[in-house]
Amino acid sequence: MILLLGMMAASMTYTSIKSPTQLHWNHVGPGIWRALIGKKDALNLLSAADAHPLKEGLKKLPKIEFAPINLEQSSGEVFGGHAVARIPLLPDEKLYGLGLQMHGSNRRGRVYHLRMDHYSAGQDRLHAPTPLYFSSRGYGIFFNTARPITIYAGVGNRLGDAGNPPARDRNTDPAWEAQPSSDSVEASVQAPGMEVYLFAGPTPMDALRRYNLFSGGGALPPRWALGFWHRVPLEASAEEVLKETAEFDKRGFPLDVLGLEPGWQSRSYPGSFVWSEKRFPDPAGFMQKMSTNHLKVNLWENPYIAESSPLYAPLKSYFASHTVWLGAVPDLNIPQAAEIVRAHHKKVGTDLGISGYKIDEVDGVDVWLWPDHAAFPSGIPGDQMRQVYGVLWQRELERLFRDSGKRTFGLVRGSNGGASRFPFAIYSDTYDHREYVTGITSAGLAGVMWCAEARSAANGEEWVRRMQTSVLSHICQLNAWSDGTKPWSFAGYEEPVKKAMMFRIEILPYLYTAFAQYHYQGTPVIRAMSIVDGGEEIDQYMLGDEILAAPMFTGEKTRSVRLPKGRWYDYDTGKLAGNGETIKVTPALDKMPLYVREGALIPTIPAQLRAGSLLKNTPLLIRMYGNTFRNGLLYDDDGESFDYEKGKFGWFTLTSDSLDGGKIVRESGVWECSYRTLNWNKISKE
Ligand code: GAL
């Protein structure tokens, strides 16, 4: 026996481990390089999102001649069923991004198993596990794979690597470290290969802009979508919905979008995808009433189809091997299946005037989704499909609205890389207020948007603070599906809630301009401090170019706010708040700590109940802060069609001396002129 083993060992061959080969990078766009390791998967993040670069936007970014990292130090290999990429890292680099994270800012020094799931505390299972990071040195890296991916962010030391620190003796050396520093990021997927993209800066923000523009430019929602959204309880009927909207109007709370939850369908979990005759006997009549009242309607659905649904039979040959709540799962990777789905949504949705969808449960809470080995008829295994299923739904529903000529804005519970152009914000069933605020900041770094919705609260104070946070996120929504909470539910707290909601409407022109910057320039609407100026804060952020938001949390009377370089003013009072310093503030309950940069001109409108039905002669109120004014920016277009893609839009400069009928205005304050008689100079007609 011993002899036999000895003989076997002698006959085995070993390969000594070779260093991975240097990556070969191709220059594929302004400041963008691509490298391929092994063979690329047919389904990847960019193909799932059908992403095409917005070339006009990319051309305007700073010219870059040289790659921002030492390309010679990048490498890749396919070994043991893993495709691996290695990207060099310098000792002082910080890393930001790696998905829609709910904690922390600098991602260096950990391992991330980026997987689509309903978020649960940690950093791996995310509503948007985008394999994208940005370095404080001003570049971004994107791994274009639809597979679950593991990222070793400055973790792991290769044998003999010149960048390794000296190996210390733990017995004797107090400087011994459990986690020796590593000079690279390694990313691995179980796949025959993967593509890697490098986005140059020079700043981290420029790198993010390049990524968003490369993915098609950020989403430009219709103007109405920036108003207030309210979702009614699970089984609300048409009559109850109409009563509820009338109540908003009577009490003077703004409202633009009404969200219907599972009860609009005749059955749910799995769904019928048809209107409930009991609760909505006359969908067209209902929609007509909503439209007359300038309200939009958003429909909830999860994409799992009941056998009794009219969608079931035509889709039959395109279903996956496994079900979700016994509902059949259509393979949207197959064009015929996607077309059937779109045609049905047209018939029961867009033809009636539905303005958008809330695509639920595409992330899964593990047991609630198909297993990793589930088979999809297009040949995609369950684990890959899971990473992009929400992206495929966004793609098809965006296409549906595009075909109808009207823009949409909706909600989705799972997204991923390449999806910047999709007008959907992510939401969650989690409800930790601090995590929600961190989500607002990290969404932009994952190329997605986030809806920090308010649902319920333990007391009036919490309700106000929750609603204020919702107002400061991409979609401002009260999701009352379960609790039935109304903005006015907490007696004695109605006014601060109304004030916050009205603020949302007031800043509409400013917010719409920020969305236009997202679309045309790739600059996210909400910007984490890490990409604004390298700050680590996750409880404050920039909303557009000029406003710094620092939400308050229940039980807190004071908080500190770090004001970046320069002078900053209190949004409400216009008083100087500080100069590049950290301040301590004690805001009253009705106050959201908001600060404006010196010299800003912020376009606003007077508060009103509908953002979407603005009258053409709505006056524009320009809020001016400080003493030395810069030019303010205003974007406008028709607010709902795709004509902006044919050049029908305008960028205007707001100058401090062109307001008030030409009178030179050189004082901090609010100034009025009319939307119609803008005498500002057009910057360009891009
Ligand atoms: C959940 C979703 C909630 C609500 C609910 C309705 O999955 O996150 O917002 O829509 O379903 O059943």
Side-chain angles (χ1 to χ4, degrees), residues 417-646:
S420 315
R421 74 183 176 91
F422 295 134
F424 288 83
I426 298 173
Y427 64 100
S428 179
D429 273 350
T430 61
Y431 200 49
D432 183 281
H433 195 174
R434 280 194 178 273
E435 286 181 353
Y436 266 34
V437 171
T438 306
I440 297 180
T441 68
S442 74
L445 296 166
V448 296
M449 295 181 276
W450 172 246
C451 166
E453 64 186 25
R455 296 202 287 269
S456 56
N459 53 51
E461 182 197 353
E462 185 190 341
W463 187 237
V464 174
R465 294 309 191 193
R466 287 274 188 181
M467 290 289 277
Q468 289 173 345
T469 296
S470 176
V471 159
L472 298 171
S473 79
H474 294 97
I475 282 186
C476 171
Q477 173 169 278
L478 196 182
N479 179 8
W481 77 274
S482 160
D483 293 63
T485 318
K486 317 272 181 270
W488 52 86
S489 283
F490 291 86
Y493 293 87
E494 299 90 334
E495 284 315 308
V497 168
K498 189 185 276 184
K499 185 175 163 195
M501 290 164 70
M502 288 303 195
F503 165 79
R504 175 81 181 191
I505 308 294
E506 283 164 20
I507 60 162
L508 185 88
Y510 173 76
L511 208 52
Y512 197 51
T513 302
F515 271 96
Q517 290 175 298
Y518 185 37
H519 173 68
Y520 295 97
Q521 297 156 10
T523 313
V525 178
I526 291 174
R527 305 154 196 181
M529 298 316 289
S530 56
I531 46 158
V532 170
D533 67 353
E536 295 283 314
E537 298 83 7
I538 48 172
D539 60 355
Q540 64 173 69
Y541 50 87
M542 290 298 299
L543 178 66
D545 283 342
E546 311 286 10
I547 301 179
L548 184 140
M552 292 294 290
F553 303 94
T554 326
E556 280 186 355
K557 297 287 169 260
T558 63
R559 66 158 291 165
S560 48
V561 184
R562 185 181 62 82
L563 302 171
K565 218 165 139 223
R567 287 151 70 91
W568 293 79
Y569 296 84
D570 181 287
Y571 180 88
D572 295 318
T573 64
K575 291 210 177 98
L576 183 68
N579 188 350
E581 63 195 291
T582 297
I583 54 171
K584 262 220 148 40
V585 292
T586 311
L589 188 60
D590 69 344
K591 189 166 170 67
M592 298 183 278
L594 299 169
Y595 304 95
V596 187
R597 265 185 221 283
E598 165 81 39
L601 272 65
I602 300 195
T604 67
I605 53 168
Q608 45 192 288
L609 296 187
R610 302 277 185 275
S613 57
L614 286 189
L615 302 172
K616 270 273 185 268
N617 56 2
T618 296
L620 201 60
L621 304 177
I622 314 297
R623 301 180 73 97
M624 299 171 52
Y625 293 87
N627 306 305
T628 41
F629 299 110
R630 287 174 283 112
N631 288 349
L633 202 58
L634 175 72
Y635 170 85
D636 207 16
D637 60 20
D638 70 18
E640 62 175 356
S641 82
F642 288 92
D643 282 356
Y644 68 94
E645 291 180 349
K646 299 179 203 134

Side-chain angles (χ1 to χ4, degrees), residues 147-362:
R147 311 240 183 185
I149 180 168
T150 304
I151 313 250
Y152 299 81
V155 174
N157 304 85
R158 285 199 178 237
L159 187 67
D161 192 289
N164 286 340
R168 297 176 191 275
D169 176 1
R170 197 177 87 155
N171 291 344
T172 56
D173 192 342
W176 179 89
E177 281 176 305
Q179 197 178 314
S181 66
S182 145
D183 66 347
S184 65
V185 172
E186 295 200 344
S188 67
V189 278
Q190 284 184 318
M194 85 173 135
E195 228 177 22
V196 187
Y197 284 87
L198 164 63
F199 296 96
T203 64
M205 183 75 92
D206 289 324
L208 173 53
R209 289 184 178 115
R210 272 181 227 276
Y211 164 80
N212 282 328
L213 292 168
F214 188 71
S215 308
L220 183 58
R223 197 190 283 116
W224 54 258
L226 306 187
F228 190 77
W229 296 46
H230 178 71
R231 308 200 76 84
V232 290
L234 203 61
E235 281 162 14
S237 65
E239 216 175 298
E240 285 160 345
V241 172
L242 292 168
K243 229 172 103 196
E244 192 143 328
T245 57
E247 193 70 15
F248 267 77
D249 290 350
K250 200 176 106 207
R251 290 173 180 262
F253 284 83
L255 183 63
D256 269 279
V257 185
L258 217 287
L260 303 184
E261 287 288 313
W264 76 269
Q265 292 187 37
S266 59
R267 60 155 299 148
S268 65
Y269 295 85
S272 61
F273 295 78
V274 291
W275 291 85
S276 154
E277 280 180 22
K278 186 169 140 221
R279 289 176 289 273
F280 291 87
D282 174 19
F286 167 73
M287 288 302 297
Q288 186 53 49
K289 285 190 188 129
M290 296 299 277
S291 157
T292 309
N293 199 6
H294 303 288
L295 288 169
K296 304 289 178 189
V297 177
N298 174 287
L299 295 183
W300 171 99
E301 67 184 22
N302 66 30
Y304 311 119
I305 302 169
E307 210 170 336
S308 57
S309 165
L311 260 176
Y312 194 92
L315 282 173
K316 200 154 185 185
S317 38
Y318 308 117
F319 288 141
S321 58
H322 290 67
T323 62
V324 178
W325 291 294
L326 301 177
V329 185
D331 185 343
L332 287 200
N333 202 29
I334 299 175
Q336 292 87 332
E339 205 180 312
I340 294 168
V341 164
R342 284 202 313 275
H344 183 82
H345 281 76
K346 178 173 183 308
K347 200 165 127 208
V348 303
T350 47
D351 280 356
L352 294 184
I354 289 301
S355 69
Y357 287 89
K358 164 176 168 180
I359 315 165
D360 205 23
E361 303 289 355
V362 282

